[in-house]
């Protein structure tokens, strides 16, 4: 039983690591994705200088988990959050990646709003 669990965990980690982020392109406006977790659930998007983004993440049953990371590499590294059940904020970065995990029946919503500052 333990060996089976470890093998499943290793497969899940490997699958997520090999998952390529789907690129979302936005100018001004809102994009809303309502999906279920399972397979590859990674998204990447960037905005132009002088714009701001509002991210809202939620799951219908509270079981989806979100990981966010900005892609800004500098002396201090990247900023990120792991194992979130919700997120609703205006982060200060022009590039973001969002990963979603959960059972295959867990529904979630990712809403991205981009506007000029």
């Amino acid at each position: 039983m333990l060996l089976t669990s470890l093998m499943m965990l290793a497969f899940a980690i490997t699958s997520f690591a090999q998952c390529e982020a789907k690129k979302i392109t936005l100018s001004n406006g809102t994009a809303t994705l309502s999906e279920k977790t399972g397979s590859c659930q990674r998204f990447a998007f960037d905005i132009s200088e002088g714009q701001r983004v509002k991210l809202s993440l939620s799951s219908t049953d509270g079981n989806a988990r979100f990981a966010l990371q900005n892609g800004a590499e500098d002396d201090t590294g990247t900023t990120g959050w792991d194992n979130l059940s919700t997120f609703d904020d205006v982060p200060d970065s022009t590039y973001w990646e969002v990963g979603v995990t959960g059972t295959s029946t867990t529904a979630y919503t990712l809403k991205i709003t981009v506007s000029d500052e």
Side-chain angles (χ1 to χ4, degrees):
M1 178 73 171
L2 178 62
L3 180 57
T4 302
S5 296
L6 289 174
M7 288 175 58
M8 288 174 55
L9 178 61
F11 176 75
I13 290 170
T14 302
S15 297
F16 193 71
Q18 294 174 354
C19 174
E20 297 233 1
K22 297 171 188 129
K23 179 75 173 159
I24 299 172
T25 304
L26 296 170
S27 52
N28 283 345
T30 299
T32 302
L33 302 169
S34 295
E35 301 196 19
K36 289 191 176 187
T37 57
S39 65
C40 178
Q41 299 293 314
R42 286 182 56 199
F43 306 95
F45 60 92
D46 56 88
I47 59 173
S48 301
E49 292 292 330
Q51 291 184 315
R52 67 183 198 143
V53 65
K54 180 176 185 198
L55 294 175
S56 299
L57 300 162
S58 62
S59 78
T60 54
D61 61 5
N63 288 327
R65 292 294 176 255
F66 305 104
L68 287 87
Q69 181 174 352
N70 74 7
E73 290 287 347
D74 58 19
D75 294 338
T76 60
T78 61
T79 301
W81 295 270
D82 288 319
N83 202 30
L84 299 172
S85 58
T86 62
F87 187 84
D88 192 19
D89 202 355
V90 180
D92 186 26
S93 181
T94 58
Y95 178 85
W96 284 91
E97 284 197 17
V98 177
V100 186
T101 58
T103 63
S104 61
T105 59
T106 300
Y108 70 92
T109 301
L110 163 61
K111 183 176 179 182
I112 305 167
T113 303
V114 176
S115 61
D116 292 329
E117 288 187 284

